Amino acid sequence: MLVGIAKLASESELREAKKQVEYFEIETRRYIGRCSGVRVPFHWTINPYRGCEFGCKYCYARYAHEFMELREPEDFERKIYVKRWDPEEFRRELRKIPLGDEIALGTATDPYQPAERRFGRTRQMLEIVATEAGARFWVTTKSDLVSRDVELLTEIARRHMLRVNLTITTLDEKLARALEPMAPRPALRIGAVQKLAAAGIRVGVLCCPVLPMLNDSERSIEAVARAAEAAGASHFGSNVLFLKPSASQVFLPFIDKQFPSLARRYRERFTASAFLKGDYPEMIHQRVEKIRERHGFERHLADYEPELWPARQLDLFA
């Protein structure tokens, strides 16, 4: 007997279908989730969609579909669930969040994936965020579609401490297409960085994940940083690949097929743990630090004072 989110998924209405992707509308118990993890720098998460059509081979969020009893690896990118929209409930949840807390949009699934062009759930949420104030608000995406909302994001930046992040794993378009088959080309993402930066929005680039022997060379990371700097990015960061079981069952067969010479080393390194151990993570950290300094990116993102930040919160920082 199905219960919880699995029951809601089974009862979801099919809204639309393409050749390989089905879109469902799903009820949601809440739009803004409390983050309990210690590895992330924010308090609250918003994900307008369940599942992500971009189909990134390394995606850590595939496990989320298992809660809906969807266990085929491809289900995550072929069955996309759009959260049923109740603007007043979303506003109520938003107003309950303490002033100054950090809210991250797009932590598990991309808020600007192809479904957004059809359903616009991300924009509906941002329209309400733009009428409130007092959060540290993060947006993370792999899509140039984020530049569609430049005027809306500009308004949000007047009320919240806004930071937008574009994930650009590599500038090598062939490698990017293999790793992220349905995501926009890296050049389009750099173009979005440029548009947002030109509008005065604090936008950065995340070279994520760093994959051993694929995009981890100083030359590869440097190329992304150089393009980010030229586009006007204010910050730059990265993290090393980690593979939870749900991601491993997609990523490791991909490596076997596309990069067979690396297959044995990947399997040896990720068999015992989802996270790489030893000197490698520290080596990448130091490499990225040098690149960040070389291009003048901020090491720690300083707060700024939005024009319409609530006065009583400003008093706390006086």
Side-chain angles (χ1 to χ4, degrees):
M1 180 178 177
L2 297 177
V3 297
I5 188 64
K7 184 172 186 295
L8 293 177
S10 69
E11 296 170 348
S12 296
E13 174 187 359
L14 178 65
R15 291 287 304 274
E16 189 178 338
K18 298 193 299 187
K19 184 177 181 180
Q20 292 186 324
V21 180
E22 295 177 304
Y23 298 103
F24 300 87
E25 189 171 63
I26 188 170
E27 294 285 354
T28 184
R29 293 172 176 170
R30 60 181 180 272
Y31 295 102
I32 306 175
R34 178 70 170 168
C35 182
S36 58
V38 296
R39 293 180 177 271
V40 293
F42 37 81
H43 305 100
W44 305 91
T45 63
I46 302 175
N47 290 288
Y49 304 97
R50 284 183 170 271
C52 184
E53 197 173 337
F54 285 161
C56 301
K57 300 302 182 183
Y58 50 74
C59 181
Y60 64 86
R62 291 178 181 274
Y63 73 91
H65 262 36
E66 296 176 2
F67 297 135
M68 300 188 292
E69 297 298 327
L70 298 172
R71 300 188 181 278
E72 291 299 319
E74 297 81 8
D75 284 342
F76 186 75
E77 60 217 50
R78 295 184 180 175
K79 296 182 183 294
I80 308 300
Y81 291 81
V82 185
K83 293 184 179 180
R84 189 160 292 167
W85 185 230
D86 182 340
E88 293 310 312
E89 176 57 28
F90 181 78
R91 188 185 300 277
R92 279 193 291 271
E93 292 183 28
L94 191 61
R95 287 179 172 175
K96 289 180 181 178
I97 293 177
L99 289 171
D101 269 15
E102 293 182 327
I103 307 171
L105 172 67
T107 57
T109 58
D110 201 296
Y112 286 99
Q113 61 178 286
E116 175 62 15
R117 295 186 187 275
R118 289 171 162 75
F119 302 101
R121 196 65 80 239
T122 296
R123 184 170 178 88
Q124 290 171 324
M125 291 180 172
L126 291 179
E127 286 172 342
I128 291 179
V129 173
T131 65
E132 303 295 327
R136 291 171 170 81
F137 198 82
W138 299 66
V139 178
T140 301
T141 180
K142 283 189 177 78
S143 178
D144 61 314
L145 182 59
V146 65
S147 63
R148 174 201 68 182
D149 291 337
V150 63
E151 292 183 3
L152 185 55
L153 291 167
T154 300
E155 180 60 26
I156 290 172
R158 295 176 64 228
R159 299 167 175 270
H160 305 273
M161 294 181 191
L162 174 68
R163 297 184 181 98
V164 179
N165 298 310
L166 269 291
T167 300
I168 302 175
T169 309
T170 176
L171 291 188
D172 181 332
E173 294 204 355
K174 183 178 179 181
L175 178 59
R177 180 59 59 218
L179 290 168
E180 306 156 353
M182 294 300 292
R185 292 182 291 110
L188 294 176
R189 298 180 227 174
I190 287 292
V193 173
Q194 190 169 24
K195 291 176 184 177
L196 294 170
I201 294 169
R202 286 190 169 193
V203 56
V205 168
L206 303 178
C207 184
C208 297
V210 172
L211 304 107
M213 298 164 285
L214 287 177
N215 73 333
D216 64 345
S217 69
E218 185 161 351
R219 180 179 179 181
S220 177
I221 300 170
E222 174 88 36
V224 178
R226 187 182 304 114
E229 180 187 14
S234 64
H235 52 280
F236 180 83
S238 75
N239 58 41
V240 173
L241 173 72
F242 65 94
L243 289 178
K244 292 191 174 183
S246 57
S248 291
Q249 61 182 315
V250 173
F251 184 78
L252 293 179
F254 161 78
I255 291 292
D256 291 341
K257 182 178 180 180
Q258 297 294 329
F259 303 96
S261 64
L262 304 180
R264 178 182 60 81
R265 281 176 284 184
Y266 264 94
R267 290 186 178 277
E268 286 176 351
R269 285 160 174 76
F270 285 102
T271 295
S273 173
F275 298 90
L276 287 171
K277 307 292 185 180
D279 296 334
Y280 182 82
E282 180 59 25
M283 179 192 73
I284 296 300
H285 173 74
Q286 294 299 328
R287 181 171 295 170
V288 172
E289 280 293 301
K290 287 195 303 181
I291 291 171
R292 183 188 285 120
E293 291 175 7
R294 194 177 301 151
H295 291 275
F297 290 116
E298 299 177 21
R299 176 63 186 89
H300 299 287
L301 295 179
D303 286 337
Y304 70 97
E305 185 177 315
E307 178 184 350
L308 300 178
W309 187 265
R312 61 192 175 104
Q313 184 70 3
L314 286 175
D315 291 342
L316 297 178
F317 297 135

